[in-house]
Amino acid sequence: MTFEGRPNRDAEVVLVGRSNVGKSTLMRELTGHDVSTGKKPGVTRRPNHFDWAPQSFMFTDLPGFGFMTGVEEGKREAIKTDVIRYIEDNADSIIAGVLVVDGKAVIDIIDRHSDAGDIPHDVELFQFLQDVDVAPVVAVNKMDKVDDRDERLNELCERLGLYPPWQQWSGEGGTIAPITAKKGSIEPLKEALRGHFREAKRDDLLQFVK
């Protein structure tokens, strides 16, 4: 069963990532709308769309996936499949795919899965966005909790197949955006999105990331 009820909009930015990385908080910062952030991971089971009809544009918060307490593996895999299918089906309208990761935990999580011989979800999703021609932007959240900021961001670039230093992947139209959504510190992400909107010749959308 894929997600139903998608508003018919020409342009979209999707937020994807594991459960509990702060997607809903980020969505609130981007849209000014309060999204019900659950105390339990995996509370968002269907996409949350915030759309503006005059511009035919929306932000979409897609359900988190990965480990969730009390959710059996089959259900978790189904959610991930639905997320991937949603992006695939709507890739032509999606200007950017924002992969939200937890800056403090992401390297450990990636390495743990790699050691077990799996492709880590975050890496897989990043490559998938590239494969379907959706500009990936990695919103590295919770950076206020990270001490060795540059080192951590360089390591993340390496894991994603990008050459460090991370700074060359930041800025307008960039791929790496260190943020702290809870404190409203999301300017690097807005800057990256501004570049992607301009590339898509959608300057009318710049108002949503000013």
Side-chain angles (χ1 to χ4, degrees), residues 56 90 92 113 130 143 185:
S56 196
N90 300 299
D92 290 348
H113 284 271
Q130 291 176 314
M143 285 304 289
S185 169

Side-chain angles (χ1 to χ4, degrees), residues 81 83-92 94 128 132 134:
T81 303
V83 166
I84 282 176
R85 197 170 294 151
Y86 180 95
I87 295 170
E88 228 163 19
D89 291 349
N90 300 299
D92 290 348
I94 301 174
F128 168 71
V132 293
V134 169

